[in-house]
């Protein structure tokens, strides 16, 4: 009852802040500036498809930063790689780098003391997106959601990592072991774009827009008792131990053996430069806008999808296209275009509710000529299952390939939640090499070893990998199939 009565205090008065200008000296400037000068009015892009390279890119850029480090994320786990990235941010602050951390409070609340301890550093500020008034306790969290569901149902799903305003990483990855191929169990198939040039300025400006939005609070206002010098000293000990653990872990050897990681450390990572790109992000206060104006990402994606001349490939781990999306995709398939979609199977999906919503539209998509593949579960065990979701889904990439020259990489799932409730972002860029690289990733993921091809006949839905044929959701127990069916028939699609 007390938790139900809790409410956020009035947000303290804060002056609008802007990102620091791009660094003119330091390692990142030395790597980027000459390349920018060789490609005036263009931005450079590099697909980051492996978890090891994704971790190394973040750790290296934080280590090399000389002026600023801005981090925006939905989830930041307190595991080995999560602690190591926190340590790199802390070391950057010790060197005088200005560090700003904006994290969604749905996850951050459970790490309240750690984030508050970081905030105690004079060069680090932590802000929480759409925070809860209570700072601990499962019961208080549930009660607060029950009494403030309309506000707390809107989350910040954006992910940006910006170092010295010279390079930026944008994509689907959160910060934690399963996103960087460091988990002993199931790891995500995910994707980032490493970028340089004018696009970084736009990503940085969008970070400022979220940073200054009334939708977030400084953690120091909500948990002043945890943002102390003593807490920071204690946190340093925890993070230093994480560095020791990493050095003695198998993951350290994996990083040393990864060719892409070594290219990154040697400054040999190749960027593909283009004048044709667009960074897009939803508004921080998206949920307060009229429904038709909420998804800036969708306003960019739909024309690109309709503009496909020969082929459209979509990767969406959570895929609930709705009636309008289904019509758009079927329209493309019936217009002599190849429309190919990869999503999670029920066995690989940790959110049964979302799969239930997808099941509603699967028959119409297949009958309309859309080609569907469902990724098999990876790792040594089935993905962790829950109604609300967990970190067990095999597929986490959100991407699109239009014909053979344009790609989209971002945080946006093709589902109602990404469209209407959560803030999302992404980058649409035209370059044939990027399209070829992402197509190879797509083809690898839909191979029979990794995915089931889904079709439909007069008896219903069929799954096959060339060696086995299934007439019901493969590798999914009865309890999971029932829960997906239940979510299919309940009126919950708008929340999926």
């Amino acid at each position: 009852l007390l938790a139900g009565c809790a409410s956020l205090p009035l947000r303290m008065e804060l002056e609008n802040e802007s990102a620091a200008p791009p660094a003119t000296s330091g390692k990142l400037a030395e790597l980027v500036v000459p390349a920018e000068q060789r490609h005036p009015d263009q931005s450079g892009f590099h697909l980051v498809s492996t978890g090891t390279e994704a971790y190394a890119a973040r750790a290296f850029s934080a280590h090399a930063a000389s002026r600023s480090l801005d981090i925006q994320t939905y989830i930041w786990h307190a595991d080995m790689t999560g602690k190591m990235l926190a340590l790199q941010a802390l070391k950057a602050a010790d060197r005088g780098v200005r560090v700003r951390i904006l994290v969604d409070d749905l996850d951050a609340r459970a790490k309240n003391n750690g984030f508050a301890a970081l905030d105690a550093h004079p060069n680090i500020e932590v802000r929480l997106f759409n925070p809860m008034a209570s700072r601990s306790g499962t019961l208080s969290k549930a009660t607060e959601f029950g009494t403030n569901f309309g506000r707390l149902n809107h989350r910040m799903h954006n992910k940006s990592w910006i170092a010295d305003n010279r390079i930026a990483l944008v994509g689907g990855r959160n910060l934690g072991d399963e996103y960087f191929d460091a988990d002993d169990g199931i790891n995500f198939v995910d994707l980032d774009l490493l970028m340089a040039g004018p696009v970084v300025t736009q990503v940085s400006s969008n970070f400022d827009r979220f940073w200054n939005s009334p939708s977030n609070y400084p953690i120091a206002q909500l948990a002043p008792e945890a943002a102390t010098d003593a807490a920071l000293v204690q946190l340093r000990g925890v993070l230093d131990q994480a560095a020791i653990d990493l050095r003695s872990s198998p993951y350290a050897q994996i990083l040393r053996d990864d060719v892409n990681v070594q290219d990154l450390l040697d400054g040999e990572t190749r960027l593909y430069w283009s004048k044709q790109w667009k960074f897009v992000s939803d508004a921080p206060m998206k949920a307060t806008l009229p429904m038709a104006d909420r998804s800036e990402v969708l306003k960019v994606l739909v024309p690109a999808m309709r503009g496909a001349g020969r082929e459209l490939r979509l990767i969406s781990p959570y895929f609930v296209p709705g009636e309008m999306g289904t019509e758009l995709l079927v329209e493309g398939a019936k217009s002599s275009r190849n429309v190919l979609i990869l999503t999670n199977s029920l066995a690989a999906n940790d959110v049964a509710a979302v799969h239930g919503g997808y099941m509603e539209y699967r028959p119409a998509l297949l009958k309309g000529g859309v080609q569907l593949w469902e990724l098999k579960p990876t790792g040594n065990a089935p993905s962790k299952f829950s109604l609300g979701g967990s970190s067990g889904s095999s597929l986490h990439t959100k991407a699109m390939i239009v014909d053979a020259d344009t790609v989209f990489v971002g945080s946006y799932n093709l589902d109602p939640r990404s469209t209407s409730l959560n803030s999302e972002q992404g980058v649409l860029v035209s370059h044939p090499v990027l399209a070829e690289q992402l197509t190879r990733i797509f083809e690898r993921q839909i191979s029979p070893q990794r995915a089931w091809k889904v079709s439909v006949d007069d008896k219903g839905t069929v799954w096959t990998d060339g060696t086995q044929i299934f007439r019901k959701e493969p590798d999914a127990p009865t309890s999971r199939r029932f829960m997906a069916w239940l979510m299919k028939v309940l009126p919950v699609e708008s929340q999926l």
Side-chain angles (χ1 to χ4, degrees), residues 18 34 38 71 75 87 108 124 169 183 185 228 248 251 272 329 368 371 405 426 449 453 485:
S18 298
R38 292 193 300 270
I71 304 169
I75 290 173
L87 178 60
I124 299 178
L169 283 144
D183 193 274
T228 64
S248 61
Y251 191 63
Y272 296 95
L329 295 167
Q371 301 176 60
D405 57 12
Q449 294 78 21
K453 180 75 167 67
W485 170 84

Side-chain angles (χ1 to χ4, degrees), residues 34-303:
E36 290 180 350
Q37 291 173 343
R38 292 193 300 270
H39 302 88
D41 303 322
Q42 298 183 61
S43 291
F45 302 88
H46 172 77
L47 281 176
V48 182
S49 60
T50 69
T52 46
E53 186 182 8
Y55 167 76
R58 288 165 172 83
F60 168 77
S61 59
H63 176 75
S66 63
R67 177 175 288 180
S68 64
L69 181 64
D70 290 335
I71 304 169
Q72 181 179 15
T73 188
Y74 178 59
I75 290 173
W76 193 329
H77 286 320
D79 51 20
M80 181 179 66
T81 57
K83 289 176 182 175
M84 283 302 302
L85 293 177
L87 178 60
Q88 291 295 345
L90 182 57
K91 287 183 175 180
D94 289 341
R95 298 193 306 270
V97 174
R98 175 196 183 196
V99 179
R100 297 187 294 174
I101 297 172
L102 177 58
V103 60
D104 188 275
D105 197 45
L106 189 64
D107 173 75
R109 180 177 178 272
K111 297 100 177 176
N112 180 79
N113 290 346
F115 283 118
L118 282 174
D119 188 80
H121 194 290
N123 290 330
I124 299 178
E125 184 176 358
V126 178
R127 295 187 183 181
L128 305 174
F129 183 88
N130 202 6
M132 279 165 268
S134 61
R135 302 312 303 156
S136 63
T138 302
L139 180 59
S140 60
K141 178 179 180 180
T143 307
E144 201 168 343
F145 254 93
T147 55
N148 294 281
F149 183 77
R151 176 178 69 84
L152 295 175
N153 192 35
H154 169 48
R155 309 314 316 172
M156 182 191 73
H157 201 229
N158 308 47
K159 294 100 175 173
S160 298
W161 184 284
I162 312 159
D164 273 358
N165 241 334
R166 284 297 180 188
I167 68 164
L169 283 144
V170 167
R173 282 188 178 89
N174 295 296
L175 308 181
D177 286 355
E178 66 266 37
Y179 302 97
F180 300 128
D181 292 339
D183 193 274
D184 289 336
I186 294 172
N187 289 285
F188 284 119
V189 177
D190 217 327
L191 196 66
D192 293 313
L193 276 174
L194 174 64
M195 305 179 295
V199 66
V200 176
T201 301
Q202 290 201 9
V203 177
S204 181
S205 295
N206 189 64
F207 181 95
D208 286 344
R209 181 169 66 140
F210 274 80
W211 185 256
N212 295 316
S213 171
S215 56
N216 64 70
Y217 276 63
I219 195 170
Q221 180 181 1
L222 298 178
E225 71 289 345
T228 64
D229 292 340
L232 179 57
V233 170
Q234 183 177 8
L235 179 64
R236 286 184 185 276
V238 172
L239 299 183
D240 287 340
Q241 182 60 50
I244 295 172
D245 294 341
L246 174 62
R247 285 194 293 270
S248 61
S249 74
Y251 191 63
Q253 187 61 47
I254 293 171
L255 289 171
R256 286 191 289 269
D257 292 343
D258 190 308
V259 174
N260 292 327
V261 171
Q262 295 309 311
D263 285 346
L264 176 74
L265 298 178
D266 294 337
E268 298 298 327
T269 294
R270 182 171 180 182
L271 298 178
Y272 296 95
W273 296 82
S274 174
K275 290 184 178 180
Q276 295 178 288
W277 56 268
K278 186 176 183 63
F279 171 76
V280 61
S281 173
D282 296 335
M285 303 295 287
K286 173 179 178 174
T288 65
L289 300 174
M291 194 65 70
D293 297 328
R294 289 189 179 184
S295 183
E296 294 298 323
V297 176
L298 196 60
K299 291 177 184 178
V300 169
L301 291 184
V302 169

Side-chain angles (χ1 to χ4, degrees), residues 432-460:
V433 175
L434 296 176
E436 179 187 3
Q437 291 176 344
L438 188 48
T439 298
R440 287 203 302 266
I441 292 171
F442 186 96
E443 291 293 331
R444 184 167 65 249
Q445 294 304 326
I446 66 171
S447 66
Q449 294 78 21
R450 296 173 181 264
W452 290 292
K453 180 75 167 67
V454 190
S455 59
V456 65
D457 60 20
D458 55 359
K459 294 182 181 180

Side-chain angles (χ1 to χ4, degrees), residues 303-383:
M305 293 163 69
R306 287 198 168 122
R310 300 177 304 280
E311 192 168 79
L312 174 67
R313 297 171 183 251
L314 290 171
I315 307 174
S316 184
Y318 306 135
F319 178 55
V320 185
E323 292 182 4
M324 292 181 63
T326 300
E327 290 176 7
L328 174 63
L329 295 167
V330 169
E331 174 190 315
K334 290 184 175 179
S335 300
S336 301
R337 303 179 194 131
N338 287 323
V339 179
L340 305 88
I341 298 173
L342 172 64
T343 189
N344 275 314
S345 65
L346 179 57
N349 202 327
D350 58 338
V351 186
V354 172
H355 197 84
Y358 156 64
M359 290 165 55
E360 177 76 17
Y361 300 101
R362 186 167 54 195
L365 290 165
L366 293 169
K367 291 175 182 177
V370 175
Q371 301 176 60
L372 279 177
W373 285 264
E374 295 180 7
L375 200 72
K376 296 177 179 180
T378 58
N380 300 319
S383 60

